[in-house]
Coordinates of all heavy atoms in Angstrom, one line a residue:
M296 N 63.2 36.7 152.9 CA 64.2 37.5 152.2 C 65.5 37.5 153.0 O 65.4 37.6 154.2 CB 63.7 38.9 152.0 CG 64.5 39.8 151.1 SD 64.0 41.5 151.1 CE 65.2 42.2 152.2
I297 N 66.6 37.3 152.3 CA 67.9 37.3 153.0 C 68.2 38.8 153.3 O 68.1 39.7 152.5 CB 69.0 36.8 152.1 CG1 68.7 35.4 151.6 CG2 70.3 36.9 152.7 CD1 69.5 34.9 150.5
K298 N 68.5 39.0 154.6 CA 68.9 40.3 155.0 C 70.4 40.4 155.4 O 70.8 39.7 156.3 CB 68.1 40.8 156.2 CG 66.9 41.6 155.8 CD 66.5 42.6 156.9 CE 65.8 43.7 156.3 NZ 65.1 44.6 157.3
L299 N 71.1 41.2 154.6 CA 72.5 41.4 155.0 C 72.6 42.6 155.8 O 72.0 43.7 155.5 CB 73.4 41.5 153.7 CG 73.3 40.3 152.8 CD1 73.9 40.6 151.5 CD2 74.1 39.2 153.5
I300 N 73.3 42.6 156.9 CA 73.4 43.7 157.8 C 74.6 44.5 157.6 O 75.7 44.0 157.5 CB 73.4 43.1 159.3 CG1 72.0 42.4 159.5 CG2 73.5 44.3 160.3 CD1 72.0 41.6 160.8
I301 N 74.4 45.8 157.5 CA 75.6 46.7 157.3 C 76.4 46.7 158.5 O 75.9 46.7 159.6 CB 75.0 48.1 156.9 CG1 76.2 49.1 156.6 CG2 74.2 48.7 158.0 CD1 76.6 49.2 155.2
P302 N 77.8 46.6 158.3 CA 78.6 46.8 159.5 C 78.4 48.1 160.2 O 78.1 49.1 159.5 CB 80.0 46.7 158.9 CG 79.9 46.1 157.6 CD 78.5 46.4 157.1
V303 N 78.4 48.2 161.5 CA 78.1 49.4 162.2 C 79.1 50.5 161.9 O 78.8 51.6 161.7 CB 78.0 49.1 163.7 CG1 77.8 50.4 164.5 CG2 76.9 48.2 164.0
R304 N 80.4 50.1 161.9 CA 81.4 51.1 161.7 C 82.2 50.8 160.4 O 82.3 49.6 159.9 CB 82.4 51.1 162.8 CG 81.9 51.7 164.1 CD 82.8 51.6 165.2 NE 82.2 52.2 166.4 CZ 82.4 53.5 166.8 NH1 83.0 54.3 166.0 NH2 81.8 53.9 167.9
C305 N 82.8 51.8 159.8 CA 83.6 51.7 158.6 C 84.9 50.9 159.0 O 85.5 51.2 160.0 CB 84.0 53.1 158.1 SG 85.3 53.1 156.8
F306 N 85.2 49.9 158.2 CA 86.4 49.1 158.5 C 87.7 49.9 158.6 O 88.6 49.6 159.3 CB 86.6 48.0 157.4 CG 85.5 46.9 157.4 CD1 85.0 46.4 156.3 CD2 84.9 46.5 158.6 CE1 84.0 45.4 156.3 CE2 83.9 45.6 158.7 CZ 83.5 45.0 157.5
S307 N 87.8 50.9 157.7 CA 89.1 51.6 157.6 C 89.3 52.7 158.7 O 90.3 52.8 159.3 CB 89.2 52.2 156.2 OG 89.2 51.3 155.3
C308 N 88.2 53.5 158.9 CA 88.4 54.7 159.8 C 87.6 54.6 161.1 O 87.8 55.4 162.0 CB 88.1 56.0 159.0 SG 86.3 56.2 158.7
G309 N 86.6 53.7 161.1 CA 85.9 53.5 162.4 C 84.7 54.4 162.6 O 84.1 54.3 163.6
R310 N 84.4 55.2 161.6 CA 83.2 56.1 161.6 C 82.0 55.2 161.6 O 81.9 54.2 161.0 CB 83.2 57.0 160.4 CG 82.1 58.0 160.4 CD 82.2 58.9 159.1 NE 81.2 59.9 159.2 CZ 79.9 59.7 158.8 NH1 79.5 58.6 158.4 NH2 79.1 60.8 158.8
V311 N 81.0 55.6 162.4 CA 79.7 54.9 162.5 C 78.9 55.2 161.2 O 78.7 56.3 160.9 CB 78.9 55.3 163.7 CG1 77.5 54.6 163.7 CG2 79.6 55.0 165.0
I312 N 78.6 54.1 160.4 CA 78.0 54.3 159.1 C 76.6 53.6 159.0 O 75.9 53.8 158.1 CB 78.9 53.7 158.0 CG1 79.3 52.3 158.3 CG2 80.1 54.6 157.8 CD1 79.7 51.5 157.1
A313 N 76.2 52.8 160.0 CA 75.0 52.1 159.9 C 73.8 53.0 159.8 O 72.9 52.7 159.0 CB 74.8 51.2 161.2
S314 N 73.7 54.1 160.5 CA 72.6 55.0 160.4 C 72.6 55.8 159.1 O 71.6 56.1 158.5 CB 72.6 56.0 161.6 OG 73.8 56.6 161.7
D315 N 73.8 56.1 158.6 CA 73.9 56.7 157.3 C 73.4 55.9 156.2 O 72.9 56.3 155.2 CB 75.4 57.2 157.0 CG 75.9 58.2 158.0 OD1 75.0 59.0 158.5 OD2 77.1 58.2 158.2
Y316 N 73.6 54.5 156.3 CA 73.2 53.6 155.3 C 71.7 53.7 155.1 O 71.2 53.7 153.9 CB 73.6 52.2 155.7 CG 73.1 51.2 154.7 CD1 73.7 51.1 153.4 CD2 72.1 50.3 155.0 CE1 73.2 50.2 152.5 CE2 71.6 49.4 154.1 CZ 72.2 49.3 152.8 OH 71.7 48.4 151.9
I317 N 70.9 53.8 156.2 CA 69.5 53.8 156.1 C 69.1 55.1 155.3 O 68.2 55.1 154.4 CB 68.8 53.8 157.5 CG1 69.2 52.4 158.1 CG2 67.3 54.0 157.4 CD1 68.9 52.4 159.6
A318 N 69.7 56.2 155.7 CA 69.4 57.5 155.0 C 69.8 57.4 153.5 O 69.0 57.9 152.7 CB 70.2 58.6 155.7
F319 N 70.9 56.8 153.2 CA 71.3 56.6 151.8 C 70.3 55.8 151.0 O 69.9 56.2 149.9 CB 72.7 55.9 151.8 CG 73.2 55.6 150.4 CD1 73.8 56.6 149.7 CD2 73.0 54.4 149.8 CE1 74.3 56.4 148.4 CE2 73.5 54.1 148.6 CZ 74.1 55.1 147.8
V320 N 69.9 54.7 151.6 CA 68.9 53.8 150.9 C 67.6 54.5 150.6 O 67.0 54.4 149.6 CB 68.7 52.5 151.6 CG1 67.5 51.7 151.1 CG2 69.9 51.6 151.6
N321 N 67.1 55.3 151.6 CA 65.9 56.0 151.5 C 66.0 57.0 150.3 O 65.0 57.1 149.5 CB 65.6 56.8 152.8 CG 65.1 55.8 153.9 OD1 64.6 54.7 153.6 ND2 65.1 56.2 155.1
K322 N 67.1 57.7 150.2 CA 67.2 58.7 149.2 C 67.3 58.1 147.8 O 66.8 58.6 146.8 CB 68.4 59.6 149.5 CG 68.2 60.6 150.5 CD 69.4 61.4 150.9 CE 69.2 62.4 152.0 NZ 68.5 63.6 151.6
V323 N 68.0 56.9 147.7 CA 68.2 56.2 146.5 C 66.8 55.7 146.1 O 66.4 55.8 144.9 CB 69.2 55.1 146.6 CG1 69.1 54.1 145.4 CG2 70.6 55.6 146.7
N324 N 66.0 55.1 147.0 CA 64.7 54.6 146.7 C 63.8 55.7 146.2 O 62.9 55.4 145.4 CB 64.2 53.8 147.9 CG 64.8 52.4 148.0 OD1 65.3 51.9 147.0 ND2 64.7 51.9 149.2
L325 N 63.9 56.8 146.8 CA 63.1 58.0 146.4 C 63.3 58.3 144.9 O 62.3 58.5 144.1 CB 63.4 59.2 147.2 CG 62.4 60.4 147.1 CD1 61.1 60.0 147.8 CD2 63.1 61.6 147.7
I326 N 64.5 58.3 144.4 CA 64.8 58.5 143.0 C 64.3 57.3 142.2 O 63.6 57.6 141.1 CB 66.3 58.6 142.8 CG1 66.8 59.9 143.4 CG2 66.7 58.6 141.3 CD1 68.3 60.1 143.4
R327 N 64.4 56.1 142.7 CA 63.9 54.9 141.9 C 62.4 55.0 141.8 O 61.9 54.7 140.7 CB 64.3 53.7 142.7 CG 65.7 53.2 142.5 CD 66.0 52.0 143.3 NE 67.4 51.6 143.1 CZ 68.1 50.9 144.0 NH1 67.5 50.5 145.1 NH2 69.3 50.5 143.7
E328 N 61.7 55.4 142.8 CA 60.2 55.4 142.8 C 59.7 56.6 142.0 O 58.7 56.5 141.2 CB 59.7 55.4 144.2 CG 59.8 54.1 144.8 CD 59.7 54.1 146.4 OE1 59.2 55.1 146.9 OE2 60.1 53.1 147.0
T329 N 60.3 57.8 142.2 CA 59.7 59.0 141.6 C 60.1 59.1 140.1 O 59.4 59.5 139.2 CB 60.1 60.3 142.3 OG1 61.5 60.4 142.4 CG2 59.5 60.3 143.7
E330 N 61.4 58.7 139.8 CA 61.9 58.9 138.4 C 61.9 57.6 137.6 O 62.1 57.6 136.4 CB 63.3 59.4 138.5 CG 63.6 60.5 139.5 CD 63.7 61.9 138.8 OE1 64.2 61.9 137.7 OE2 63.3 62.9 139.5
N331 N 61.6 56.5 138.3 CA 61.6 55.2 137.7 C 62.9 54.8 137.0 O 62.9 54.3 135.9 CB 60.4 55.1 136.8 CG 60.0 53.6 136.5 OD1 60.3 52.8 137.4 ND2 59.3 53.4 135.5
R332 N 64.0 55.1 137.6 CA 65.3 54.7 137.1 C 66.3 54.7 138.2 O 66.0 55.1 139.4 CB 65.8 55.8 136.1 CG 65.9 57.2 136.7 CD 66.5 58.2 135.8 NE 66.4 59.5 136.3 CZ 67.3 60.0 137.2 NH1 68.3 59.3 137.6 NH2 67.2 61.2 137.7
E333 N 67.5 54.1 137.9 CA 68.6 54.1 138.9 C 69.2 55.5 139.0 O 69.3 56.2 138.0 CB 69.6 53.1 138.5 CG 69.2 51.6 138.6 CD 68.8 51.2 140.0 OE1 69.6 51.4 140.9 OE2 67.7 50.8 140.2
P334 N 69.7 55.9 140.2 CA 70.4 57.2 140.3 C 71.7 57.2 139.5 O 72.4 56.2 139.4 CB 70.6 57.3 141.8 CG 70.5 56.0 142.4 CD 69.6 55.2 141.5
T335 N 72.0 58.4 139.0 CA 73.3 58.5 138.3 C 74.4 58.6 139.3 O 74.2 58.9 140.5 CB 73.3 59.8 137.4 OG1 73.1 60.9 138.3 CG2 72.1 59.8 136.5
P336 N 75.7 58.4 138.8 CA 76.8 58.6 139.7 C 76.9 59.9 140.4 O 77.3 60.1 141.6 CB 78.0 58.3 138.8 CG 77.5 57.5 137.7 CD 76.1 57.9 137.5
E337 N 76.5 61.0 139.6 CA 76.5 62.3 140.2 C 75.5 62.4 141.3 O 75.7 63.1 142.3 CB 76.2 63.4 139.1 CG 77.3 63.6 138.1 CD 77.4 62.4 137.1 OE1 76.4 61.7 136.9 OE2 78.5 62.2 136.5
E338 N 74.3 61.8 141.2 CA 73.3 61.8 142.2 C 73.8 61.1 143.4 O 73.5 61.5 144.6 CB 72.0 61.3 141.7 CG 71.3 62.2 140.7 CD 70.1 61.6 140.0 OE1 70.2 60.3 139.8 OE2 69.2 62.3 139.7
I339 N 74.4 59.9 143.2 CA 75.0 59.2 144.3 C 76.0 60.0 145.1 O 75.9 60.1 146.4 CB 75.7 57.9 143.8 CG1 74.7 57.0 143.1 CG2 76.4 57.2 145.0 CD1 74.0 56.0 143.9
Q340 N 76.8 60.8 144.4 CA 77.8 61.6 145.0 C 77.1 62.7 145.9 O 77.5 63.0 147.0 CB 78.6 62.3 143.9 CG 79.9 62.9 144.4 CD 80.8 63.3 143.2 OE1 80.3 63.4 142.1 NE2 82.0 63.6 143.5
R341 N 76.0 63.3 145.3 CA 75.2 64.3 146.0 C 74.6 63.8 147.2 O 74.6 64.5 148.3 CB 74.2 64.9 145.0 CG 73.4 66.1 145.6 CD 72.4 66.7 144.6 NE 71.7 65.6 143.9 CZ 70.6 65.0 144.4 NH1 70.1 65.3 145.6 NH2 69.9 64.1 143.7
I342 N 74.0 62.6 147.2 CA 73.4 62.0 148.3 C 74.4 61.8 149.4 O 74.2 62.1 150.6 CB 72.8 60.6 147.9 CG1 71.6 60.8 147.0 CG2 72.4 59.8 149.2 CD1 71.0 59.5 146.4
F343 N 75.6 61.3 149.1 CA 76.7 61.1 150.1 C 77.0 62.5 150.7 O 77.3 62.6 152.0 CB 77.9 60.5 149.5 CG 77.9 59.0 149.4 CD1 78.2 58.3 148.3 CD2 77.5 58.3 150.5 CE1 78.2 56.9 148.2 CE2 77.5 56.9 150.5 CZ 77.8 56.2 149.3
D344 N 77.1 63.5 149.9 CA 77.4 64.9 150.5 C 76.3 65.3 151.4 O 76.6 65.9 152.5 CB 77.6 65.9 149.3 CG 78.8 65.6 148.5 OD1 79.8 65.0 149.1 OD2 78.9 66.1 147.3
E345 N 75.1 65.0 151.0 CA 73.9 65.5 151.9 C 73.9 64.8 153.2 O 73.6 65.4 154.2 CB 72.6 65.2 151.1 CG 72.3 66.2 150.0 CD 71.1 65.7 149.2 OE1 70.4 64.8 149.6 OE2 70.8 66.4 148.2
I346 N 74.2 63.5 153.2 CA 74.1 62.8 154.5 C 75.5 62.8 155.3 O 75.6 62.3 156.4 CB 73.7 61.3 154.4 CG1 74.7 60.5 153.5 CG2 72.3 61.2 153.8 CD1 74.3 59.0 153.3
G347 N 76.4 63.5 154.7 CA 77.7 63.8 155.4 C 78.7 62.7 155.4 O 79.6 62.7 156.3
V348 N 78.6 61.8 154.5 CA 79.6 60.7 154.3 C 80.7 61.3 153.4 O 80.5 61.3 152.2 CB 79.0 59.4 153.8 CG1 80.1 58.4 153.6 CG2 78.0 58.9 154.8
K349 N 81.8 61.7 154.0 CA 82.8 62.4 153.1 C 83.9 61.5 152.6 O 84.3 61.6 151.5 CB 83.4 63.6 154.0 CG 82.4 64.7 154.3 CD 83.2 65.9 154.8 CE 82.2 67.0 155.1 NZ 81.5 66.9 156.3
R350 N 84.5 60.7 153.5 CA 85.7 59.9 153.1 C 85.3 58.7 152.2 O 84.2 58.1 152.3 CB 86.3 59.3 154.4 CG 87.1 60.3 155.1 CD 87.8 59.7 156.3 NE 86.8 59.4 157.4 CZ 86.5 60.3 158.3 NH1 87.0 61.5 158.4 NH2 85.6 59.9 159.2
Y351 N 86.1 58.4 151.3 CA 85.8 57.4 150.3 C 85.8 56.0 150.9 O 85.2 55.0 150.4 CB 86.6 57.4 149.0 CG 88.1 57.3 149.1 CD1 88.7 56.0 149.3 CD2 89.0 58.4 149.1 CE1 90.0 55.9 149.4 CE2 90.3 58.2 149.2 CZ 90.9 57.0 149.3 OH 92.2 56.8 149.5
C352 N 86.5 55.8 152.1 CA 86.5 54.5 152.7 C 85.1 54.2 153.3 O 84.6 53.1 153.2 CB 87.5 54.4 153.9 SG 87.4 55.7 155.1
C353 N 84.4 55.2 153.8 CA 83.0 55.1 154.3 C 82.1 54.9 153.1 O 81.1 54.1 153.2 CB 82.6 56.3 155.1 SG 83.8 56.7 156.4
R354 N 82.3 55.7 152.0 CA 81.4 55.6 150.9 C 81.5 54.2 150.3 O 80.5 53.6 149.9 CB 81.8 56.6 149.8 CG 81.5 58.0 150.3 CD 81.8 59.0 149.2 NE 81.5 60.4 149.7 CZ 81.3 61.4 148.9 NH1 81.4 61.3 147.6 NH2 80.9 62.6 149.5
R355 N 82.7 53.6 150.3 CA 82.9 52.2 149.8 C 82.0 51.2 150.6 O 81.4 50.3 150.1 CB 84.3 51.8 149.9 CG 84.6 50.3 149.8 CD 85.7 49.9 150.7 NE 85.6 50.2 152.1 CZ 86.5 50.0 153.0 NH1 87.7 49.5 152.7 NH2 86.3 50.3 154.3
M356 N 82.0 51.4 152.0 CA 81.2 50.5 152.8 C 79.8 50.5 152.4 O 79.2 49.5 152.3 CB 81.3 51.0 154.3 CG 82.7 51.0 154.9 SD 83.4 49.3 155.1 CE 82.3 48.7 156.4
I357 N 79.2 51.7 152.2 CA 77.8 51.8 151.9 C 77.5 51.3 150.5 O 76.6 50.6 150.2 CB 77.3 53.3 152.1 CG1 77.4 53.6 153.6 CG2 75.9 53.5 151.5 CD1 77.1 55.0 154.0
L358 N 78.3 51.8 149.5 CA 78.1 51.4 148.1 C 78.2 49.9 147.9 O 77.4 49.3 147.2 CB 79.1 52.1 147.2 CG 78.7 53.5 146.7 CD1 79.8 54.0 145.7 CD2 77.4 53.4 146.0
S359 N 79.2 49.3 148.4 CA 79.4 47.9 148.2 C 78.3 47.1 148.9 O 77.9 46.0 148.4 CB 80.8 47.4 148.7 OG 80.9 47.7 150.1
H360 N 77.8 47.6 149.9 CA 76.7 46.9 150.6 C 75.4 46.9 149.8 O 74.7 45.9 149.7 CB 76.4 47.6 152.0 CG 75.5 46.8 152.8 ND1 76.0 45.6 153.4 CD2 74.2 46.9 153.2 CE1 75.0 45.1 154.1 NE2 73.9 45.8 154.0
V361 N 75.1 48.0 149.1 CA 74.0 48.1 148.2 C 74.1 47.1 147.1 O 73.1 46.4 146.8 CB 73.9 49.6 147.6 CG1 72.8 49.6 146.5 CG2 73.5 50.6 148.7
N362 N 75.3 47.0 146.5 CA 75.5 46.0 145.5 C 75.2 44.6 145.9 O 74.6 43.8 145.2 CB 76.9 46.1 144.9 CG 77.2 47.4 144.2 OD1 76.2 48.0 143.7 ND2 78.4 47.8 144.1
L363 N 75.6 44.2 147.2 CA 75.4 42.9 147.7 C 73.9 42.6 147.8 O 73.5 41.5 147.4 CB 76.0 42.8 149.1 CG 77.4 42.2 149.2 CD1 77.9 42.2 150.6 CD2 77.5 40.8 148.5
I364 N 73.1 43.6 148.3 CA 71.7 43.4 148.4 C 71.1 43.1 147.0 O 70.3 42.2 146.8 CB 71.0 44.6 149.1 CG1 71.2 44.4 150.6 CG2 69.6 44.7 148.8 CD1 70.5 45.4 151.5
D365 N 71.5 43.9 146.0 CA 70.9 43.8 144.7 C 71.2 42.4 144.1 O 70.4 41.8 143.5 CB 71.5 44.8 143.7 CG 70.9 46.2 144.0 OD1 69.8 46.2 144.6 OD2 71.5 47.2 143.6
D366 N 72.4 41.9 144.4 CA 72.8 40.5 143.9 C 72.0 39.4 144.6 O 71.6 38.5 143.9 CB 74.3 40.3 144.2 CG 75.2 41.1 143.3 OD1 74.7 41.6 142.3 OD2 76.4 41.2 143.6
T367 N 71.7 39.5 145.8 CA 70.9 38.5 146.5 C 69.4 38.6 146.2 O 68.8 37.6 146.1 CB 71.1 38.5 148.0 OG1 70.7 39.8 148.5 CG2 72.5 38.2 148.4
M368 N 68.9 39.8 145.9 CA 67.5 39.9 145.6 C 67.2 39.1 144.3 O 66.0 38.7 144.2 CB 67.2 41.4 145.4 CG 67.2 42.2 146.7 SD 65.8 41.8 147.7 CE 64.6 42.8 147.0
A369 N 68.1 39.0 143.4 CA 67.8 38.3 142.1 C 67.5 36.9 142.4 O 66.8 36.2 141.6 CB 69.0 38.4 141.2
F370 N 67.9 36.3 143.5 CA 67.7 34.9 143.8 C 66.6 34.7 144.8 O 66.4 33.6 145.2 CB 69.0 34.2 144.3 CG 70.1 34.4 143.3 CD1 71.1 35.3 143.5 CD2 70.2 33.5 142.2 CE1 72.2 35.4 142.6 CE2 71.2 33.6 141.3 CZ 72.2 34.6 141.5
D371 N 65.9 35.7 145.1 CA 64.8 35.6 146.1 C 63.7 34.8 145.6 O 63.3 34.9 144.5 CB 64.4 37.0 146.5 CG 64.4 37.2 148.0 OD1 65.2 36.5 148.6 OD2 63.7 38.1 148.5
Ligands
LIG688 ZN1 85.7 55.4 156.7

């Protein structure tokens, strides 16, 4: 499997986001497994609030990374 590595810090503000990314993926996967669906935008927002990612520059880092993984998984 191709593994894309999340940048350790946010490109814009420099906040460390690598550890938040793991927490984010765990919470998203929990919704996928228990509810058998993708999380809604409101749930994504709540997850970011819970793990303390406030600025949209940092949220962009994590969200865009999730999309990249989904794109490559299709070709696995
Ligand atoms: Zn940031």
Side-chain angles (χ1 to χ4, degrees):
M296 192 186 98
I297 302 167
K298 265 213 157 166
L299 296 167
I300 299 167
I301 183 92
V303 174
R304 285 176 183 271
C305 173
F306 291 146
S307 300
C308 71
R310 183 181 185 279
V311 176
I312 52 161
S314 53
D315 294 331
Y316 175 72
I317 298 165
F319 177 82
V320 168
N321 285 340
K322 284 174 183 285
V323 167
N324 282 338
L325 191 72
I326 292 175
R327 283 178 178 152
E328 284 161 18
T329 56
E330 317 256 329
N331 203 21
R332 59 173 174 82
E333 290 298 306
T335 63
E337 289 75 22
E338 286 169 330
I339 298 274
Q340 198 172 12
R341 183 177 47 81
I342 290 171
F343 275 133
D344 289 339
E345 281 172 11
I346 61 178
V348 178
K349 294 195 176 76
R350 285 182 288 272
Y351 61 79
C352 57
C353 308
R354 294 184 176 199
R355 162 214 59 184
M356 298 290 292
I357 291 172
L358 270 184
S359 59
H360 193 72
V361 171
N362 291 338
L363 265 180
I364 278 189
D365 286 341
D366 287 346
T367 55
M368 288 289 277
F370 301 102
D371 235 23

